[in-house]
Amino acid sequence: MAAKARSQILLVVALVPIMILVMCLGATYVYQEESRSGRLVRDADRSQALLRLEIDEASASLHELLDGLAENSALVGALDNGDAAALERRAAPVFARLRDQHGLSHLYFSRPDRVPLLRLDGSGKSGQVVDRLTLFDTAESAGRSDGLDLNAFGVVTLRVTVPWRDGEGKLIGFVEAGRDVAPMIDAVHRVMGLDILLLVKKDMLDRDRWDEGERQTGGQGDWDELANFVSVARTMPTIPTPIGLMLEDGKPAMNGGITIVGVGKKSLAMSVRPLVDLEMKPIGDVVLLRDVTETSRSMERTQIWILLVAAGLVVLGFWRCRWLLHGEKPE
């Protein structure tokens, strides 16, 4: 009986610490995972806010440029007269300077009836997908209209449209300026140290026109890189295969969640946010990626050290109890 009692006591002495160890390891893992996910979500939120700030600042800058152009009486007169040739003579050198100094992608002039009068485009890629009437209506009623837009060549552009009026308040036309969003993505990448992908749904684009746009700009995009999306701007040379597969399967957490994806020997934290156009319609995804390889390894090392130390203490406690119960040190 005494031997049986000692065996049961030793079993309890061994099992209780093991159970406590498992619970501690689980609690530590959950705490570290939540802490890491919280940091990653905050980083993604800050990156999204920074991108929004970049877009807002670019929008304000474009408004200032258009306000300055409105003070050019020759430009205003040419638009009022509907004289495309005179407007081009005066606007072309202005656009060239603004393109070089401020990264302007296009400058459009339209008549009051929304019919285009002159389009100046640095890359030659015009032809929008969205309904331009909505843009004009908003500009006329609110005095301005701005937002992200997708053209037929797959370029996501910040567009700002303002109505021009004569001294009596009569509408004489609309002026639109735009900037490519890709440099803004690069700016966020440099500040936050994470990678960004702008993905657009393929059903929003025409394959031939997209290929034409890539040829015109010397782009290296690959239409077949993803099945349902095409990358229109990104800060990494290629999309890792595991990331592409998860995006195609629709598995990554949307709207702020974090998914950890193994890419070779690396671990990447991925957050997917919706990409919306001027009409607030979803046209694709904004994918934020951060390398968390070292963080993941640090968590693993912490878990291993906790396991080793706790296991050592359990073994020492077991043998100490056995020695006390037997009244002698085991051989």
Side-chain angles (χ1 to χ4, degrees), residues 70-87:
E71 297 176 0
N72 188 321
S73 58
L75 284 177
V76 175
L79 179 60
D80 191 16
N81 295 327
D83 189 340
L87 186 60

Side-chain angles (χ1 to χ4, degrees), residues 45-57:
D45 289 342
R46 283 195 291 266
S47 298
Q48 189 176 35
L50 182 57
L51 179 58
R52 183 70 258 174
L53 180 61
E54 289 279 340
I55 292 173
D56 289 343
E57 290 181 348

Side-chain angles (χ1 to χ4, degrees), residues 125-186:
K125 299 193 299 181
S126 59
Q128 294 71 29
V129 172
V130 300
D131 179 7
R132 310 305 295 169
L133 296 181
T134 300
L135 190 66
F136 291 132
D137 290 341
T138 303
E140 185 174 3
S141 61
R144 59 177 288 179
S145 178
D146 57 60
L148 297 183
D149 187 15
L150 172 69
N151 72 15
F153 295 90
V155 178
V156 177
T157 306
L158 170 64
R159 299 180 181 273
V160 170
T161 301
V162 297
W164 276 8
R165 301 179 184 275
D166 61 16
E168 298 178 355
K170 173 189 172 183
L171 179 66
I172 63 173
F174 298 89
V175 185
E176 176 186 307
R179 285 181 59 184
D180 189 353
V181 174
M184 305 178 202
I185 298 297
D186 292 333

Side-chain angles (χ1 to χ4, degrees), residues 202-273:
K202 284 186 177 180
D203 56 15
M204 303 286 296
L205 301 168
D206 177 83
R207 170 70 183 270
D208 293 336
R209 300 195 74 178
W210 185 84
D211 286 339
E212 180 185 345
E214 289 297 291
R215 286 194 298 271
Q216 289 178 359
T217 60
Q220 302 298 318
D222 183 357
W223 180 272
D224 298 320
E225 188 173 22
L226 298 173
N228 301 313
F229 297 90
V230 63
S231 172
V232 297
R234 60 190 183 192
T235 59
M236 56 197 321
T238 59
I239 300 176
T241 299
I243 297 294
L245 292 175
M246 292 204 70
L247 291 171
E248 296 294 354
D249 293 340
K251 292 181 179 180
M254 296 290 290
N255 298 322
I258 295 293
T259 303
I260 305 298
V261 185
V263 180
K265 296 182 179 181
K266 292 184 177 182
S267 297
L268 300 181
M270 175 167 59
S271 179
V272 182
R273 314 293 173 96

